[in-house]
Amino acid sequence: VPLIAGSHHYATGDTIALSRHGESLGAAGLLIVPPYYMSPSVGDVLDHYRRVAEKVRVPIVLYHNLSNTNVDLSADHMIQLYDEGAIAGVKMSHPDPRRIGDLLHLAPESLRVYVGLDTAAFAGLCLGAHGWISGIPSMVPRAARALYDAIQSGEMAQARAVWAKLLPLESMQFGLYAKEHDTQWFSVLKAALNMVGPLVGDPVPPIQPLGAPHQERLAALLEALGYPVKRT
């Protein structure tokens, strides 16, 4: 199974060091978010990716994440980086799936475009995204694959049925962002993995582990999706 290693940092030099380290350990590709906190110019961001690409041989997936970086590259900017050979794909973490559609419309087919936010997964895959990198595929990959396959084969009634089963998990994961409840996405993801797979531990503070009442609800959601749950 190919492994894409996250190797981003807000400093270009440190991003290069992390990327070379990931490559040396056998990563098939690198997932790199734009430099965060420093609010660089578009030119600075483009140069950041160019400089990293010069130092590694494996492909880079640009992680477009406006909410956490304050960097909003346009489709033209991302296609420019692709044409220069600096990136091979884009993980689009934007709540508006039209951003995925716009990029797919303008980009060559060989630029891989991935849904990066579960709230936009159904629409993004219907628009033609090549894959899905986010919380749901990390927690319940079999169910995520079922949605992907149904959409790819044009079985839209089946796709809607799968998505309806996934919606409660999506809602729980991103409840804090939607101001519906206080569950933080990383706490949900860690708790889910601890329940259905190898133990991955708790989040590092300041993010707190998922509370007991939420854990019970999460366990029920996972079981409804067909996953045996380990309860502590």
Side-chain angles (χ1 to χ4, degrees):
V1 176
L3 175 68
I4 299 176
S7 58
H8 31 252
H9 197 279
Y10 56 78
T12 301
D14 289 319
T15 301
I16 290 171
L18 290 168
S19 298
R20 289 172 66 95
H21 177 64
E23 181 182 46
S24 73
L25 294 176
L30 303 165
L31 182 66
I32 301 178
V33 81
Y36 44 92
Y37 179 72
M38 298 301 292
S39 297
S41 69
V42 168
D44 291 338
V45 175
L46 298 181
D47 190 56
H48 175 80
Y49 282 97
R50 294 177 184 125
R51 292 177 62 185
V52 177
E54 289 172 355
K55 300 297 183 180
V56 296
R57 296 180 301 278
V58 294
I60 293 171
V61 177
L62 186 154
Y63 184 174
H64 187 287
N65 192 330
L66 171 61
S67 63
N68 290 331
T69 65
N70 199 34
V71 174
D72 190 10
L73 296 179
S74 68
D76 288 338
H77 291 135
M78 290 181 278
I79 293 169
Q80 179 182 343
L81 286 174
Y82 173 77
D83 289 340
E84 294 176 6
I87 65 170
V90 175
K91 174 185 175 181
M92 180 62 75
S93 291
H94 198 286
D96 186 352
R98 290 178 298 179
R99 294 295 296 270
I100 295 171
D102 291 345
L103 182 56
L104 287 166
H105 177 70
L106 295 171
E109 169 65 23
S110 49
L111 173 63
R112 313 308 286 176
V113 179
Y114 303 96
V115 176
L117 195 62
D118 289 336
T119 54
F122 187 90
L125 291 171
C126 287
L127 286 167
H130 300 103
W132 179 11
I133 307 173
S134 191
I136 285 177
S138 299
M139 292 184 287
V140 288
R142 185 172 60 247
R145 178 62 186 264
L147 177 67
Y148 174 86
D149 286 345
I151 291 174
Q152 289 294 307
S153 61
E155 299 290 338
M156 297 312 297
Q158 175 65 17
R160 287 190 291 270
V162 174
W163 185 237
K165 292 180 180 179
L166 290 172
L167 275 174
L169 184 58
E170 180 272 315
S171 176
M172 184 177 194
Q173 185 182 195
F174 291 101
L176 186 64
Y177 291 125
K179 296 181 172 52
E180 294 173 353
H181 41 76
D182 61 352
T183 50
Q184 209 274 351
W185 72 270
F186 198 59
S187 299
V188 174
L189 188 148
K190 282 267 191 171
L193 293 178
N194 287 333
M195 291 178 185
V196 303
L199 295 177
V200 296
D202 290 328
V204 175
I207 306 302
Q208 299 298 314
L210 196 65
H214 291 309
Q215 290 225 18
E216 280 302 312
R217 171 162 168 71
L218 176 60
L221 293 176
L222 295 171
E223 288 174 334
L225 291 168
Y227 282 82
V229 167
K230 296 176 290 188
R231 284 181 165 85
T232 57

